[in-house]
Amino acid sequence: MPLTIQKGIFSKLSSKISKYDSSSIRLPDQETKEGFLKAQRLAYQCVTEIEKEMREGWSEFQTAKLMETFLRDHGVKVFLHRPFAWFGEHARFDGYKRFTQFHPSKKRILNANESFILDVSPVVEGYIGDIGYSSSLNPNPELDFGMKYLLKLRSEIPKYFASSMSASEIWWKIDWDAKEHGFDNVHSLYPFAVLGHRVYKVHLPKISFPLLPISFASWFSLQGSYEFLTHKVLPELLTPDHEGNKIGLWAIEPHLGKGKAGFKFEEILVVENDKAYWLDEEVPHVKKYGAFQRTVWE
Protein backbone atom coordinates (compact mmCIF):
# COMPACT_ATOMS: atom_id res chain seq x y z
CA MET A 1 0.00 0.00 0.00
CA PRO A 2 1.50 3.43 -0.93
CA LEU A 3 2.60 5.65 1.95
CA THR A 4 0.11 8.39 0.99
CA ILE A 5 -2.85 6.03 1.29
CA GLN A 6 -1.58 4.64 4.58
CA LYS A 7 -1.22 8.14 6.00
CA GLY A 8 -4.74 9.07 4.87
CA ILE A 9 -6.29 6.07 6.59
CA PHE A 10 -4.21 6.67 9.72
CA SER A 11 -5.16 10.37 10.06
CA LYS A 12 -8.88 9.55 10.19
CA LEU A 13 -8.36 7.41 13.28
CA SER A 14 -5.45 9.14 14.95
CA SER A 15 -7.14 12.16 16.53
CA LYS A 16 -9.70 10.17 18.55
CA ILE A 17 -7.46 7.24 19.43
CA SER A 18 -4.58 9.51 20.51
CA LYS A 19 -6.76 10.64 23.43
CA TYR A 20 -6.78 7.13 24.91
CA ASP A 21 -5.00 6.67 28.21
CA SER A 22 -1.52 5.16 28.28
CA SER A 23 0.66 3.98 31.14
CA SER A 24 3.49 6.22 29.88
CA ILE A 25 1.46 9.40 30.51
CA ARG A 26 2.95 10.12 33.91
CA LEU A 27 5.29 12.53 35.66
CA PRO A 28 8.83 11.10 35.72
CA ASP A 29 10.61 10.85 39.05
CA GLN A 30 14.31 11.60 39.50
CA GLU A 31 15.34 7.94 39.22
CA THR A 32 13.51 7.67 35.89
CA LYS A 33 15.13 10.81 34.50
CA GLU A 34 18.57 9.58 35.56
CA GLY A 35 17.94 6.26 33.84
CA PHE A 36 16.98 7.93 30.58
CA LEU A 37 19.92 10.32 30.86
CA LYS A 38 22.32 7.37 31.13
CA ALA A 39 20.76 5.70 28.07
CA GLN A 40 20.76 8.91 26.03
CA ARG A 41 24.39 9.69 26.84
CA LEU A 42 25.50 6.20 25.81
CA ALA A 43 23.63 6.64 22.52
CA TYR A 44 25.38 9.97 21.90
CA GLN A 45 28.71 8.44 22.85
CA CYS A 46 28.11 5.80 20.21
CA VAL A 47 27.42 8.18 17.32
CA THR A 48 30.21 10.60 18.20
CA GLU A 49 32.77 7.82 18.58
CA ILE A 50 31.73 6.21 15.28
CA GLU A 51 31.82 9.66 13.64
CA LYS A 52 35.54 9.89 14.50
CA GLU A 53 36.17 6.63 12.63
CA MET A 54 34.08 7.36 9.54
CA ARG A 55 35.84 7.84 6.21
CA GLU A 56 34.87 8.69 2.67
CA GLY A 57 33.76 5.54 0.89
CA TRP A 58 32.03 3.96 3.88
CA SER A 59 28.56 2.55 3.21
CA GLU A 60 25.47 3.34 5.26
CA PHE A 61 25.09 -0.35 6.12
CA GLN A 62 28.72 -0.60 7.27
CA THR A 63 28.26 2.43 9.51
CA ALA A 64 25.01 1.13 10.99
CA LYS A 65 26.60 -2.24 11.79
CA LEU A 66 29.52 -0.56 13.53
CA MET A 67 27.12 1.45 15.70
CA GLU A 68 25.32 -1.74 16.65
CA THR A 69 28.64 -3.42 17.47
CA PHE A 70 29.70 -0.45 19.63
CA LEU A 71 26.49 -0.59 21.64
CA ARG A 72 26.60 -4.35 22.08
CA ASP A 73 30.21 -4.03 23.25
CA HIS A 74 28.90 -1.59 25.87
CA GLY A 75 26.39 -4.08 27.20
CA VAL A 76 23.30 -3.26 25.13
CA LYS A 77 21.21 -6.32 24.33
CA VAL A 78 17.91 -4.71 23.28
CA PHE A 79 17.18 -1.93 20.77
CA LEU A 80 13.99 -0.08 19.99
CA HIS A 81 15.16 -0.16 16.37
CA ARG A 82 18.30 -1.05 14.47
CA PRO A 83 20.81 1.80 14.03
CA PHE A 84 20.17 4.02 11.03
CA ALA A 85 22.75 5.82 8.88
CA TRP A 86 21.65 8.12 6.05
CA PHE A 87 24.15 9.82 3.75
CA GLY A 88 23.65 12.88 1.56
CA GLU A 89 20.36 13.04 -0.34
CA HIS A 90 19.24 9.74 1.18
CA ALA A 91 18.66 11.74 4.39
CA ARG A 92 15.94 13.75 2.59
CA PHE A 93 13.70 10.73 1.82
CA ASP A 94 12.51 12.33 -1.42
CA GLY A 95 10.14 10.17 -3.43
CA TYR A 96 10.03 7.29 -0.97
CA LYS A 97 7.11 4.93 -1.55
CA ARG A 98 7.99 2.00 0.71
CA PHE A 99 9.22 1.87 4.30
CA THR A 100 12.11 -0.37 3.21
CA GLN A 101 13.59 2.65 1.41
CA PHE A 102 14.45 4.12 4.80
CA HIS A 103 16.89 1.30 5.51
CA PRO A 104 20.66 1.89 5.45
CA SER A 105 22.01 0.84 2.06
CA LYS A 106 25.06 -1.25 1.19
CA LYS A 107 25.35 0.75 -2.03
CA ARG A 108 25.00 4.28 -0.61
CA ILE A 109 28.61 5.46 -0.16
CA LEU A 110 29.70 8.50 1.85
CA ASN A 111 31.13 11.51 0.06
CA ALA A 112 33.40 13.65 2.24
CA ASN A 113 31.55 16.85 1.32
CA GLU A 114 28.03 15.69 2.09
CA SER A 115 26.16 15.59 5.39
CA PHE A 116 24.93 12.47 7.14
CA ILE A 117 22.57 11.43 9.94
CA LEU A 118 23.19 8.74 12.55
CA ASP A 119 20.24 7.48 14.61
CA VAL A 120 20.39 4.84 17.37
CA SER A 121 18.03 3.65 20.11
CA PRO A 122 19.67 1.37 22.69
CA VAL A 123 17.72 0.17 25.70
CA VAL A 124 19.90 0.54 28.80
CA GLU A 125 18.64 -1.10 32.00
CA GLY A 126 15.13 -0.77 30.61
CA TYR A 127 15.46 2.87 29.53
CA ILE A 128 15.19 3.87 25.85
CA GLY A 129 17.95 6.17 24.57
CA ASP A 130 16.62 7.12 21.11
CA ILE A 131 18.75 9.89 19.54
CA GLY A 132 19.58 11.42 16.18
CA TYR A 133 22.77 13.25 15.24
CA SER A 134 23.77 15.16 12.09
CA SER A 135 27.31 15.85 10.92
CA SER A 136 29.71 15.78 7.94
CA LEU A 137 33.33 14.84 7.29
CA ASN A 138 34.17 18.21 5.71
CA PRO A 139 32.57 21.58 6.46
CA ASN A 140 29.09 21.70 4.93
CA PRO A 141 27.32 25.09 4.65
CA GLU A 142 23.87 23.57 4.12
CA LEU A 143 24.24 21.46 7.24
CA ASP A 144 25.55 24.38 9.32
CA PHE A 145 22.65 26.58 8.17
CA GLY A 146 20.12 23.86 8.93
CA MET A 147 21.50 23.01 12.35
CA LYS A 148 21.56 26.65 13.45
CA TYR A 149 17.87 26.82 12.59
CA LEU A 150 17.20 23.55 14.41
CA LEU A 151 18.91 24.91 17.53
CA LYS A 152 16.64 27.94 17.39
CA LEU A 153 13.69 25.57 17.08
CA ARG A 154 15.07 23.53 19.97
CA SER A 155 14.90 26.61 22.21
CA GLU A 156 11.23 27.11 21.26
CA ILE A 157 9.95 23.54 21.65
CA PRO A 158 9.84 23.50 25.49
CA LYS A 159 7.77 26.70 25.35
CA TYR A 160 5.28 25.04 23.02
CA PHE A 161 4.89 22.00 25.26
CA ALA A 162 4.50 24.12 28.39
CA SER A 163 1.74 26.14 26.72
CA SER A 164 -1.90 25.22 26.11
CA MET A 165 -1.06 24.11 22.57
CA SER A 166 -2.10 20.56 21.72
CA ALA A 167 0.47 18.14 20.33
CA SER A 168 -1.23 18.50 16.95
CA GLU A 169 -0.90 22.30 17.08
CA ILE A 170 2.79 21.93 17.95
CA TRP A 171 3.31 19.65 14.94
CA TRP A 172 1.67 22.14 12.57
CA LYS A 173 3.41 25.16 14.15
CA ILE A 174 6.81 23.56 13.53
CA ASP A 175 5.80 22.54 10.01
CA TRP A 176 4.66 26.06 9.13
CA ASP A 177 7.66 27.81 10.66
CA ALA A 178 10.17 25.52 8.97
CA LYS A 179 8.58 26.05 5.56
CA GLU A 180 8.46 29.82 6.12
CA HIS A 181 12.24 29.68 6.61
CA GLY A 182 12.75 27.73 3.40
CA PHE A 183 13.13 24.20 4.80
CA ASP A 184 11.43 21.00 3.72
CA ASN A 185 9.65 18.96 6.37
CA VAL A 186 11.27 15.51 6.16
CA HIS A 187 9.67 14.06 9.30
CA SER A 188 6.33 14.40 7.50
CA LEU A 189 7.61 11.48 5.37
CA TYR A 190 8.20 9.25 8.41
CA PRO A 191 5.77 6.44 9.20
CA PHE A 192 2.70 8.25 10.59
CA ALA A 193 4.50 11.60 9.97
CA VAL A 194 5.80 11.55 13.56
CA LEU A 195 7.62 14.54 15.02
CA GLY A 196 8.46 12.38 18.03
CA HIS A 197 7.27 9.60 20.30
CA ARG A 198 7.06 8.84 23.98
CA VAL A 199 9.82 6.95 25.77
CA TYR A 200 9.28 4.91 28.89
CA LYS A 201 10.94 2.20 30.91
CA VAL A 202 10.47 -1.19 29.29
CA HIS A 203 10.49 -4.59 30.91
CA LEU A 204 13.55 -6.39 29.59
CA PRO A 205 13.06 -10.05 28.75
CA LYS A 206 15.23 -12.72 30.32
CA ILE A 207 16.45 -13.50 26.81
CA SER A 208 16.98 -10.98 24.01
CA PHE A 209 14.36 -10.70 21.32
CA PRO A 210 15.88 -11.33 17.88
CA LEU A 211 15.96 -8.52 15.36
CA LEU A 212 13.38 -8.97 12.64
CA PRO A 213 14.62 -9.84 9.13
CA ILE A 214 16.19 -6.91 7.31
CA SER A 215 13.44 -7.06 4.68
CA PHE A 216 10.85 -6.28 7.37
CA ALA A 217 9.64 -2.71 6.82
CA SER A 218 9.79 -1.42 10.37
CA TRP A 219 13.52 -2.06 11.04
CA PHE A 220 12.33 -2.62 14.61
CA SER A 221 13.28 -5.40 16.98
CA LEU A 222 10.50 -7.64 18.22
CA GLN A 223 11.01 -5.97 21.61
CA GLY A 224 10.47 -2.55 20.06
CA SER A 225 7.37 -3.64 18.16
CA TYR A 226 5.97 -5.30 21.29
CA GLU A 227 6.52 -2.17 23.39
CA PHE A 228 4.69 0.14 20.99
CA LEU A 229 1.80 -2.28 20.55
CA THR A 230 1.31 -2.85 24.28
CA HIS A 231 1.33 0.92 24.89
CA LYS A 232 -1.52 1.31 22.36
CA VAL A 233 0.74 2.98 19.76
CA LEU A 234 -1.20 6.14 18.97
CA PRO A 235 -0.99 7.92 22.35
CA GLU A 236 2.77 7.37 22.01
CA LEU A 237 3.26 9.11 18.65
CA LEU A 238 3.42 12.87 18.11
CA THR A 239 1.53 13.01 14.82
CA PRO A 240 -0.24 15.87 12.97
CA ASP A 241 -3.50 14.63 14.53
CA HIS A 242 -2.47 13.99 18.14
CA GLU A 243 -4.88 15.54 20.64
CA GLY A 244 -3.95 13.58 23.75
CA ASN A 245 -2.16 14.40 26.99
CA LYS A 246 1.35 15.84 26.63
CA ILE A 247 2.65 14.85 30.10
CA GLY A 248 5.63 12.50 30.11
CA LEU A 249 8.91 11.94 28.32
CA TRP A 250 9.17 12.47 24.56
CA ALA A 251 11.92 11.72 22.06
CA ILE A 252 11.50 14.76 19.82
CA GLU A 253 13.02 14.48 16.33
CA PRO A 254 12.48 17.40 13.94
CA HIS A 255 13.96 16.37 10.60
CA LEU A 256 14.32 18.98 7.87
CA GLY A 257 15.89 19.35 4.45
CA LYS A 258 17.56 22.12 2.47
CA GLY A 259 19.10 21.71 -0.97
CA LYS A 260 20.69 18.27 -1.12
CA ALA A 261 21.04 17.92 2.66
CA GLY A 262 18.83 16.37 5.32
CA PHE A 263 19.46 17.05 9.01
CA LYS A 264 17.84 16.42 12.37
CA PHE A 265 18.35 16.12 16.07
CA GLU A 266 16.56 13.76 18.42
CA GLU A 267 16.64 13.93 22.18
CA ILE A 268 14.40 13.55 25.21
CA LEU A 269 12.05 16.33 26.30
CA VAL A 270 10.57 16.25 29.82
CA VAL A 271 6.99 17.54 30.01
CA GLU A 272 5.48 18.13 33.44
CA ASN A 273 2.23 19.79 34.53
CA ASP A 274 3.54 23.32 34.42
CA LYS A 275 6.86 23.21 32.60
CA ALA A 276 8.90 21.51 29.88
CA TYR A 277 12.66 21.17 29.45
CA TRP A 278 15.26 19.07 27.70
CA LEU A 279 16.59 16.18 29.74
CA ASP A 280 20.19 17.22 29.02
CA GLU A 281 21.83 20.39 27.74
CA GLU A 282 25.22 18.71 27.34
CA VAL A 283 24.30 17.16 23.99
CA PRO A 284 26.66 17.09 20.98
CA HIS A 285 24.58 19.23 18.61
CA VAL A 286 24.34 22.04 21.16
CA LYS A 287 28.08 21.91 21.82
CA LYS A 288 28.88 21.78 18.11
CA TYR A 289 26.45 24.28 16.62
CA GLY A 290 25.40 26.62 19.40
CA ALA A 291 26.13 28.08 22.80
CA PHE A 292 25.10 26.38 26.04
CA GLN A 293 21.66 27.56 27.10
CA ARG A 294 19.32 26.01 29.64
CA THR A 295 15.78 26.11 28.27
CA VAL A 296 13.03 25.56 30.83
CA TRP A 297 9.58 26.97 30.09
CA GLU A 298 6.90 27.29 32.72
Side-chain angles (χ1 to χ4, degrees):
M1 184 184 296
L3 293 179
T4 53
I5 296 177
Q6 294 180 51
K7 290 177 181 177
I9 294 172
F10 175 82
S11 65
K12 293 179 181 180
L13 301 173
S14 178
S15 179
K16 290 184 179 180
I17 299 177
S18 68
K19 296 179 182 179
Y20 289 1
D21 193 18
S22 167
S23 60
S24 59
I25 302 173
R26 63 176 63 180
L27 293 174
D29 57 25
Q30 188 60 33
E31 179 182 352
T32 298
K33 288 188 284 188
E34 289 174 358
F36 280 106
L37 181 61
K38 181 178 179 179
Q40 180 170 279
R41 286 183 171 173
L42 176 61
Y44 277 126
Q45 181 187 356
C46 172
V47 295
T48 53
E49 289 295 324
I50 295 300
E51 176 191 21
K52 295 174 185 177
E53 302 298 323
M54 292 174 67
R55 298 291 184 269
E56 186 172 20
W58 279 32
S59 73
E60 290 178 336
F61 189 83
Q62 173 187 2
T63 306
K65 290 298 291 182
L66 283 172
M67 289 190 289
E68 181 177 333
T69 298
F70 178 96
L71 290 168
R72 290 194 182 279
D73 287 346
H74 284 75
V76 175
K77 297 180 179 180
V78 175
F79 300 81
L80 183 64
H81 63 70
R82 283 185 171 98
F84 288 105
W86 299 303
F87 298 166
E89 292 184 67
H90 192 194
R92 289 184 48 89
F93 302 164
D94 289 331
Y96 284 17
K97 297 181 180 179
R98 301 180 307 278
F99 291 144
T100 50
Q101 292 176 283
F102 292 87
H103 294 180
S105 168
K106 293 181 180 179
K107 297 181 180 180
R108 188 68 178 82
I109 303 302
L110 182 62
N111 181 301
N113 295 316
E114 65 188 1
S115 61
F116 57 83
I117 296 174
L118 306 179
D119 190 311
V120 298
S121 63
V123 178
V124 179
E125 299 173 1
Y127 297 98
I128 299 171
D130 197 0
I131 65 94
Y133 176 69
S134 301
S135 191
S136 58
L137 297 184
N138 292 342
N140 185 296
E142 287 181 335
L143 173 64
D144 291 346
F145 182 72
M147 289 306 300
K148 287 184 183 300
Y149 173 78
L150 280 177
L151 285 192
K152 178 179 179 297
L153 176 61
R154 182 183 183 275
S155 71
E156 296 292 318
I157 287 174
K159 176 175 66 175
Y160 299 158
F161 274 85
S163 75
S164 62
M165 295 172 68
S166 69
S168 173
E169 290 171 333
I170 293 171
W171 194 102
W172 287 106
K173 167 65 176 173
I174 290 173
D175 176 76
W176 179 86
D177 192 69
K179 291 175 179 176
E180 283 291 299
H181 284 82
F183 295 100
D184 301 314
N185 182 342
V186 179
H187 59 261
S188 67
L189 305 177
Y190 282 22
F192 310 126
V194 296
L195 172 62
H197 58 85
R198 294 185 187 277
V199 291
Y200 38 81
K201 188 173 184 181
V202 303
H203 298 291
L204 295 176
K206 293 182 179 179
I207 59 173
S208 298
F209 282 84
L211 290 172
L212 294 171
I214 288 178
S215 60
F216 184 76
S218 73
W219 199 254
F220 275 70
S221 67
L222 285 175
Q223 175 74 18
S225 299
Y226 171 80
E227 290 299 335
F228 272 120
L229 289 171
T230 55
H231 281 73
K232 303 178 184 178
V233 184
L234 294 180
E236 312 304 322
L237 306 180
L238 204 170
T239 71
D241 309 290
H242 193 290
E243 297 294 338
N245 197 314
K246 295 181 293 183
I247 296 298
L249 295 164
W250 294 88
I252 302 295
E253 51 183 326
H255 187 163
L256 306 177
K258 181 81 171 178
K260 295 183 178 181
F263 30 83
K264 69 179 287 187
F265 71 81
E266 182 177 11
E267 59 177 303
I268 295 174
L269 182 75
V270 183
V271 183
E272 300 179 357
N273 287 319
D274 56 355
K275 62 182 177 180
Y277 53 92
W278 297 107
L279 180 65
D280 191 9
E281 291 292 349
E282 293 285 346
V283 289
H285 44 283
V286 170
K287 293 179 180 180
K288 188 171 185 177
Y289 296 103
F292 177 89
Q293 182 180 3
R294 175 69 170 164
T295 48
V296 179
W297 284 89
E298 301 182 357

